[in-house]
Amino acid sequence: MTASKTDDRFPRSAKYDHTWMIENSMGPNAVWLVEYLSEAMDLKPGMKVLDLGCGKAMTSIFLAREFDVEVWASDLWIPADENRTRIEAAGLSDRIHAVHAEAHDLPYERNFFDAIASIDAYHYFGTDDLYLGYILQFLGKEGLIGIVSPGLKHDFDGDPPEHLHAGWHWDFASFHSPEWWRRHWERTGKVDVTTADWLEEGWQDWVFWNRALSEERGLDAEGETEMVKEDAGRNLGFARIVAQPRIPARWR
Ligand SMILES: C[S@@+](CC[C@H](N)C(=O)[O-])C[C@H]1O[C@@H](n2cnc3c(N)ncnc32)[C@H](O)[C@@H]1O
């Protein structure tokens, strides 16, 4: 199976080795998703970027290589030593720092970063009303924060639609729509949201990549794959949100 279907939509990702992406995947293809995020963030050479919940650091490698930024690849489940080995193999040890860190207890100085990026990770901790206020302390005044996470085209109340029941997990409660994220962030009065949108054809990418992971790595996400396929983009896909700090903040 090849990734050629997405080559036109994600031309930067198309240069990355398919097997490398399969081996280091922890879910949907993070390289495609970080390329999507980067289209809405003005990343410039030399910027300091926090990759929050970087997993196996593919997204950090992509950001350092494509935009010549310096990245702090921070993750909880994946040991920093493992990421250091991957970063070294990519020849980027001078520009990416692997850090083992919990998202609520980050070892950084105030205003340190020019950008914060988070792919398929922020929804694990960032639905807390107060988390944005915590993470923004590490972002400079001119900075940008951006996330792409699995989500819903529109939030629904109560149970998910019937056709999603067979593959649904309780923790998909953290999936939200772009409009939900916009409100969630703007009501803090601490940011202006510059982008809150939806990856067209994202559900097809999700199904395609799950099948590749199943065929090539034997990963079993059959219930999820079938659910996303059956849904056919009605509800499930990927939300992208980007914001800049509002100075001064709206509220005390
Ligand atoms: C589904 S994986 C995605 C990893 C990577 N961003 C990617 O897309 O390949 C979610 C990541 O979020 C990270 N994560 C979840 N909760 C976290 C927390 N409280 N602090 C730091 N990282 C966290 C995990 O360590 C994990 O690597």
Side-chain angles (χ1 to χ4, degrees):
M1 185 175 275
T2 73
S4 59
K5 179 188 162 298
T6 52
D7 284 0
D8 292 343
R9 289 164 54 229
F10 303 118
R12 291 178 185 267
S13 305
K15 297 177 293 187
Y16 288 73
D17 182 56
H18 176 78
T19 306
W20 180 78
M21 293 193 290
I22 286 282
E23 281 169 1
N24 295 308
S25 259
M26 294 175 70
N29 188 319
V31 180
W32 298 339
L33 296 181
V34 73
E35 177 164 358
Y36 176 52
L37 180 63
S38 71
E39 288 165 3
M41 293 179 82
D42 190 15
L43 298 172
K44 299 203 177 74
M47 275 185 168
K48 293 180 184 161
V49 179
L50 170 60
D51 186 352
L52 186 57
C54 68
K56 297 190 178 175
M58 287 197 296
T59 48
S60 307
I61 288 168
F62 178 94
L63 291 170
R65 193 171 275 159
E66 298 297 321
F67 299 99
D68 202 13
V69 293
E70 188 171 359
V71 185
W72 278 257
S74 309
D75 198 72
L76 182 64
W77 303 344
I78 306 297
D81 277 351
E82 280 185 22
N83 276 341
R84 230 163 262 133
T85 303
R86 256 183 295 275
I87 290 161
E88 210 174 292
L92 289 166
S93 300
D94 56 333
R95 269 182 287 158
I96 308 179
H97 316 281
V99 181
H100 185 249
E102 211 288 328
H104 301 86
D105 189 21
L106 296 172
Y108 304 117
E109 288 167 28
R110 291 183 74 82
N111 303 320
F112 185 74
F113 293 105
D114 302 301
I116 297 174
S118 187
I119 299 298
D120 189 13
Y122 194 86
H123 58 292
Y124 287 96
F125 39 82
T127 56
D128 177 341
D129 287 342
L130 304 185
Y131 187 75
L132 185 70
Y134 169 75
I135 192 67
L136 283 176
Q137 71 182 293
F138 304 108
L139 187 63
K141 291 179 177 47
E142 310 282 316
L144 280 175
I145 178 167
I147 68 169
V148 172
S149 275
L152 301 172
K153 203 171 207 172
H154 306 286
D155 273 60
F156 40 74
D157 292 326
D159 287 349
E162 187 83 26
H163 70 276
L164 301 178
H165 286 193
W168 194 258
H169 280 234
W170 75 269
D171 57 0
F172 296 167
S174 66
F175 289 2
H176 292 291
S177 65
E179 281 314 306
W180 185 94
W181 283 107
R182 176 195 289 281
R183 176 177 177 278
H184 182 60
W185 280 8
E186 285 193 335
R187 67 207 293 261
T188 65
K190 284 181 173 289
V191 292
D192 290 311
V193 170
T194 55
T195 301
D197 60 8
W198 186 246
L199 179 59
E200 295 306 326
E201 301 178 51
W203 72 273
Q204 286 164 307
D205 301 339
W206 193 341
V207 170
F208 180 87
W209 197 248
N210 270 14
R211 286 192 174 145
L213 289 172
S214 161
E215 285 168 23
E216 297 171 45
R217 245 176 69 188
L219 291 188
D220 179 18
E222 194 46 35
E224 179 184 292
T225 312
E226 278 311 306
M227 176 183 66
V228 178
K229 181 169 168 279
E230 167 73 18
D231 184 57
R234 282 176 282 170
N235 297 277
L236 296 165
F238 300 98
R240 171 175 69 175
I241 327 297
V242 179
Q244 56 196 22
R246 180 175 172 152
I247 310 290
R250 174 74 181 82
W251 313 111
R252 287 190 293 141

Short mmCIF file of all heavy atoms in Angstrom, two decimals, residues 24-31 33 51-59 74-78 101-104 106 118-125, ligand 1:
data_model
loop_
_atom_site.label_atom_id
_atom_site.label_comp_id
_atom_site.label_asym_id
_atom_site.label_seq_id
_atom_site.Cartn_x
_atom_site.Cartn_y
_atom_site.Cartn_z
N ASN A 24 6.37 4.37 12.91
CA ASN A 24 6.32 5.32 14.03
C ASN A 24 4.93 5.90 14.30
O ASN A 24 4.77 6.79 15.13
CB ASN A 24 7.32 6.46 13.77
CG ASN A 24 8.73 5.92 13.78
OD1 ASN A 24 9.14 5.25 14.72
ND2 ASN A 24 9.48 6.18 12.71
N SER A 25 3.94 5.36 13.60
CA SER A 25 2.57 5.86 13.77
C SER A 25 1.99 5.43 15.11
O SER A 25 2.18 4.30 15.55
CB SER A 25 1.67 5.29 12.68
OG SER A 25 1.46 6.26 11.70
N MET A 26 1.23 6.34 15.71
CA MET A 26 0.49 6.01 16.94
C MET A 26 -1.00 6.25 16.72
O MET A 26 -1.75 6.44 17.67
CB MET A 26 1.01 6.87 18.09
CG MET A 26 2.46 6.54 18.45
SD MET A 26 3.13 7.63 19.71
CE MET A 26 2.23 7.11 21.16
N GLY A 27 -1.42 6.26 15.47
CA GLY A 27 -2.82 6.52 15.13
C GLY A 27 -2.87 7.08 13.72
O GLY A 27 -2.10 6.65 12.86
N PRO A 28 -3.75 8.05 13.49
CA PRO A 28 -3.82 8.68 12.17
C PRO A 28 -2.45 9.23 11.75
O PRO A 28 -1.61 9.51 12.61
CB PRO A 28 -4.82 9.81 12.39
CG PRO A 28 -5.65 9.38 13.53
CD PRO A 28 -4.74 8.58 14.42
N ASN A 29 -2.24 9.38 10.44
CA ASN A 29 -0.90 9.78 9.96
C ASN A 29 -0.54 11.19 10.42
O ASN A 29 -1.04 12.19 9.91
CB ASN A 29 -0.85 9.69 8.44
CG ASN A 29 0.57 9.90 7.93
OD1 ASN A 29 1.30 10.75 8.43
ND2 ASN A 29 0.96 9.11 6.95
N ALA A 30 0.37 11.24 11.39
CA ALA A 30 0.73 12.51 12.03
C ALA A 30 1.47 13.45 11.08
O ALA A 30 1.42 14.67 11.24
CB ALA A 30 1.58 12.24 13.26
N VAL A 31 2.15 12.88 10.08
CA VAL A 31 2.92 13.71 9.15
C VAL A 31 1.95 14.50 8.27
O VAL A 31 2.12 15.72 8.07
CB VAL A 31 3.91 12.85 8.34
CG1 VAL A 31 4.71 13.72 7.38
CG2 VAL A 31 4.84 12.10 9.28
N LEU A 33 -1.04 15.29 9.12
CA LEU A 33 -1.77 16.24 9.97
C LEU A 33 -0.91 17.44 10.36
O LEU A 33 -1.40 18.57 10.46
CB LEU A 33 -2.30 15.52 11.22
CG LEU A 33 -3.34 14.42 10.94
CD1 LEU A 33 -3.82 13.80 12.25
CD2 LEU A 33 -4.54 14.96 10.15
N ASP A 51 6.61 20.96 20.50
CA ASP A 51 5.75 19.92 19.92
C ASP A 51 5.21 19.13 21.10
O ASP A 51 5.90 18.30 21.70
CB ASP A 51 6.58 19.04 18.97
CG ASP A 51 5.71 18.04 18.21
OD1 ASP A 51 4.52 17.92 18.53
OD2 ASP A 51 6.25 17.36 17.32
N LEU A 52 3.96 19.43 21.44
CA LEU A 52 3.36 18.94 22.69
C LEU A 52 2.62 17.62 22.46
O LEU A 52 1.66 17.57 21.70
CB LEU A 52 2.40 20.02 23.19
CG LEU A 52 1.74 19.83 24.55
CD1 LEU A 52 2.76 19.66 25.65
CD2 LEU A 52 0.84 21.03 24.85
N GLY A 53 3.11 16.55 23.11
CA GLY A 53 2.55 15.22 22.87
C GLY A 53 3.03 14.70 21.53
O GLY A 53 2.24 14.21 20.71
N CYS A 54 4.35 14.78 21.32
CA CYS A 54 4.94 14.51 19.99
C CYS A 54 4.98 13.03 19.65
O CYS A 54 5.35 12.67 18.52
CB CYS A 54 6.35 15.08 19.92
SG CYS A 54 7.51 14.18 21.01
N GLY A 55 4.63 12.14 20.61
CA GLY A 55 4.68 10.71 20.32
C GLY A 55 6.09 10.30 19.93
O GLY A 55 7.06 10.58 20.65
N LYS A 56 6.22 9.69 18.77
CA LYS A 56 7.53 9.20 18.33
C LYS A 56 8.30 10.23 17.51
O LYS A 56 9.20 9.88 16.74
CB LYS A 56 7.35 7.89 17.58
CG LYS A 56 6.75 6.81 18.51
CD LYS A 56 6.75 5.44 17.92
CE LYS A 56 6.20 4.46 18.96
NZ LYS A 56 6.05 3.09 18.43
N ALA A 57 7.94 11.47 17.69
CA ALA A 57 8.71 12.63 17.19
C ALA A 57 8.72 12.79 15.67
O ALA A 57 9.50 13.57 15.15
CB ALA A 57 10.14 12.61 17.74
N MET A 58 7.83 12.11 14.96
CA MET A 58 7.78 12.32 13.50
C MET A 58 7.43 13.77 13.18
O MET A 58 7.98 14.36 12.25
CB MET A 58 6.73 11.41 12.87
CG MET A 58 7.13 9.98 12.79
SD MET A 58 6.09 9.09 11.62
CE MET A 58 4.48 9.20 12.38
N THR A 59 6.49 14.32 13.96
CA THR A 59 6.05 15.69 13.69
C THR A 59 7.17 16.70 13.99
O THR A 59 7.31 17.69 13.28
CB THR A 59 4.80 16.02 14.54
OG1 THR A 59 5.06 15.63 15.90
CG2 THR A 59 3.59 15.25 14.04
N SER A 74 8.23 17.01 23.08
CA SER A 74 7.85 16.68 24.46
C SER A 74 6.75 15.63 24.47
O SER A 74 5.73 15.79 23.78
CB SER A 74 7.33 17.94 25.16
OG SER A 74 8.26 18.99 24.98
N ASP A 75 6.96 14.59 25.25
CA ASP A 75 5.94 13.54 25.29
C ASP A 75 5.99 12.79 26.61
O ASP A 75 7.01 12.74 27.29
CB ASP A 75 6.14 12.56 24.13
CG ASP A 75 4.88 11.75 23.89
OD1 ASP A 75 3.89 12.32 23.38
OD2 ASP A 75 4.85 10.55 24.23
N LEU A 76 4.83 12.19 26.94
CA LEU A 76 4.70 11.46 28.20
C LEU A 76 4.90 9.95 28.03
O LEU A 76 5.67 9.33 28.76
CB LEU A 76 3.30 11.72 28.78
CG LEU A 76 2.99 11.06 30.13
CD1 LEU A 76 3.90 11.61 31.23
CD2 LEU A 76 1.53 11.30 30.51
N TRP A 77 4.23 9.35 27.06
CA TRP A 77 4.24 7.88 26.94
C TRP A 77 5.52 7.35 26.31
O TRP A 77 5.88 6.19 26.53
CB TRP A 77 3.05 7.39 26.08
CG TRP A 77 1.69 7.80 26.55
CD1 TRP A 77 1.37 8.29 27.80
CD2 TRP A 77 0.48 7.79 25.81
NE1 TRP A 77 0.03 8.57 27.86
CE2 TRP A 77 -0.55 8.27 26.66
CE3 TRP A 77 0.14 7.41 24.50
CZ2 TRP A 77 -1.88 8.40 26.23
CZ3 TRP A 77 -1.18 7.52 24.08
CH2 TRP A 77 -2.17 8.01 24.94
N ILE A 78 6.17 8.15 25.47
CA ILE A 78 7.35 7.67 24.75
C ILE A 78 8.61 8.22 25.44
O ILE A 78 8.78 9.43 25.59
CB ILE A 78 7.33 8.14 23.27
CG1 ILE A 78 6.01 7.72 22.60
CG2 ILE A 78 8.55 7.62 22.51
CD1 ILE A 78 5.77 6.22 22.50
N ALA A 101 7.99 14.66 29.32
CA ALA A 101 7.28 15.66 30.11
C ALA A 101 5.79 15.38 30.16
O ALA A 101 5.20 14.88 29.21
CB ALA A 101 7.50 17.05 29.50
N GLU A 102 5.21 15.74 31.28
CA GLU A 102 3.77 15.67 31.46
C GLU A 102 3.21 17.05 31.08
O GLU A 102 3.77 18.08 31.47
CB GLU A 102 3.45 15.35 32.94
CG GLU A 102 2.17 14.55 33.14
CD GLU A 102 0.91 15.34 32.90
OE1 GLU A 102 0.92 16.57 33.16
OE2 GLU A 102 -0.08 14.75 32.45
N ALA A 103 2.12 17.06 30.33
CA ALA A 103 1.61 18.31 29.77
C ALA A 103 1.20 19.34 30.83
O ALA A 103 1.11 20.54 30.53
CB ALA A 103 0.40 18.01 28.87
N HIS A 104 0.98 18.89 32.08
CA HIS A 104 0.60 19.83 33.14
C HIS A 104 1.79 20.25 34.00
O HIS A 104 1.63 20.98 34.97
CB HIS A 104 -0.44 19.20 34.07
CG HIS A 104 -1.68 18.77 33.36
ND1 HIS A 104 -1.80 17.56 32.76
CD2 HIS A 104 -2.85 19.43 33.16
CE1 HIS A 104 -3.00 17.46 32.20
NE2 HIS A 104 -3.65 18.58 32.43
N LEU A 106 5.29 21.17 32.75
CA LEU A 106 6.31 21.31 31.71
C LEU A 106 7.54 22.07 32.24
O LEU A 106 7.38 23.06 32.97
CB LEU A 106 5.72 22.04 30.50
CG LEU A 106 4.59 21.27 29.80
CD1 LEU A 106 3.91 22.14 28.73
CD2 LEU A 106 5.12 19.99 29.16
N SER A 118 0.53 20.88 18.40
CA SER A 118 0.13 19.62 19.03
C SER A 118 -0.74 18.84 18.05
O SER A 118 -1.79 19.32 17.62
CB SER A 118 -0.62 19.90 20.33
OG SER A 118 -0.85 18.69 21.02
N ILE A 119 -0.28 17.65 17.71
CA ILE A 119 -0.97 16.81 16.73
C ILE A 119 -1.53 15.57 17.41
O ILE A 119 -0.76 14.81 18.03
CB ILE A 119 0.02 16.38 15.61
CG1 ILE A 119 0.56 17.60 14.88
CG2 ILE A 119 -0.66 15.41 14.63
CD1 ILE A 119 -0.48 18.44 14.16
N ASP A 120 -2.82 15.34 17.27
CA ASP A 120 -3.46 14.14 17.81
C ASP A 120 -3.07 13.92 19.28
O ASP A 120 -2.83 12.80 19.70
CB ASP A 120 -3.08 12.91 16.95
CG ASP A 120 -3.88 11.67 17.33
OD1 ASP A 120 -4.88 11.80 18.07
OD2 ASP A 120 -3.49 10.57 16.91
N ALA A 121 -3.00 14.97 20.05
CA ALA A 121 -2.60 14.85 21.45
C ALA A 121 -3.34 15.83 22.36
O ALA A 121 -3.69 15.47 23.49
CB ALA A 121 -1.09 15.07 21.58
N TYR A 122 -3.60 17.04 21.90
CA TYR A 122 -4.12 18.09 22.79
C TYR A 122 -5.45 17.71 23.42
O TYR A 122 -5.76 18.11 24.55
CB TYR A 122 -4.26 19.40 21.99
CG TYR A 122 -4.46 20.63 22.83
CD1 TYR A 122 -3.36 21.32 23.36
CD2 TYR A 122 -5.74 21.12 23.12
CE1 TYR A 122 -3.54 22.46 24.13
CE2 TYR A 122 -5.92 22.25 23.89
CZ TYR A 122 -4.83 22.92 24.39
OH TYR A 122 -5.00 24.05 25.16
N HIS A 123 -6.26 16.90 22.73
CA HIS A 123 -7.58 16.54 23.28
C HIS A 123 -7.46 15.62 24.50
O HIS A 123 -8.43 15.46 25.23
CB HIS A 123 -8.46 15.90 22.20
CG HIS A 123 -7.87 14.67 21.58
ND1 HIS A 123 -6.75 14.70 20.79
CD2 HIS A 123 -8.23 13.37 21.67
CE1 HIS A 123 -6.46 13.47 20.40
NE2 HIS A 123 -7.33 12.64 20.92
N TYR A 124 -6.27 15.04 24.73
CA TYR A 124 -6.08 14.19 25.92
C TYR A 124 -6.03 15.04 27.20
O TYR A 124 -6.28 14.52 28.28
CB TYR A 124 -4.79 13.38 25.83
CG TYR A 124 -4.86 12.23 24.84
CD1 TYR A 124 -4.39 12.37 23.55
CD2 TYR A 124 -5.41 11.00 25.22
CE1 TYR A 124 -4.46 11.33 22.64
CE2 TYR A 124 -5.48 9.96 24.32
CZ TYR A 124 -5.00 10.12 23.03
OH TYR A 124 -5.09 9.10 22.14
N PHE A 125 -5.63 16.29 27.08
CA PHE A 125 -5.51 17.12 28.29
C PHE A 125 -6.13 18.51 28.12
O PHE A 125 -6.48 19.14 29.10
CB PHE A 125 -4.03 17.26 28.71
CG PHE A 125 -3.07 17.43 27.54
CD1 PHE A 125 -2.88 18.65 26.94
CD2 PHE A 125 -2.39 16.33 27.03
CE1 PHE A 125 -2.03 18.79 25.85
CE2 PHE A 125 -1.53 16.46 25.93
CZ PHE A 125 -1.35 17.70 25.34
C1 LIG B 1 -2.24 9.26 19.86
S1 LIG B 1 -0.65 9.71 20.43
C2 LIG B 1 -0.11 10.80 19.13
C3 LIG B 1 1.35 11.02 19.14
C4 LIG B 1 1.88 11.93 18.04
N1 LIG B 1 1.51 13.31 18.24
C5 LIG B 1 1.44 11.42 16.71
O1 LIG B 1 0.44 11.96 16.20
O2 LIG B 1 2.04 10.48 16.22
C6 LIG B 1 -1.02 10.83 21.76
C7 LIG B 1 0.22 11.37 22.45
O3 LIG B 1 -0.22 12.29 23.44
C8 LIG B 1 0.68 12.20 24.52
N2 LIG B 1 0.00 12.60 25.75
C9 LIG B 1 -1.21 12.22 26.20
N3 LIG B 1 -1.43 12.75 27.42
C10 LIG B 1 -0.33 13.48 27.73
C11 LIG B 1 0.04 14.26 28.86
N4 LIG B 1 -0.76 14.38 29.90
N5 LIG B 1 1.26 14.88 28.82
C12 LIG B 1 2.06 14.76 27.75
N6 LIG B 1 1.77 14.03 26.66
C13 LIG B 1 0.59 13.39 26.66
C14 LIG B 1 1.06 10.74 24.61
O4 LIG B 1 2.29 10.59 25.25
C15 LIG B 1 1.02 10.28 23.15
O5 LIG B 1 2.29 10.19 22.59
#
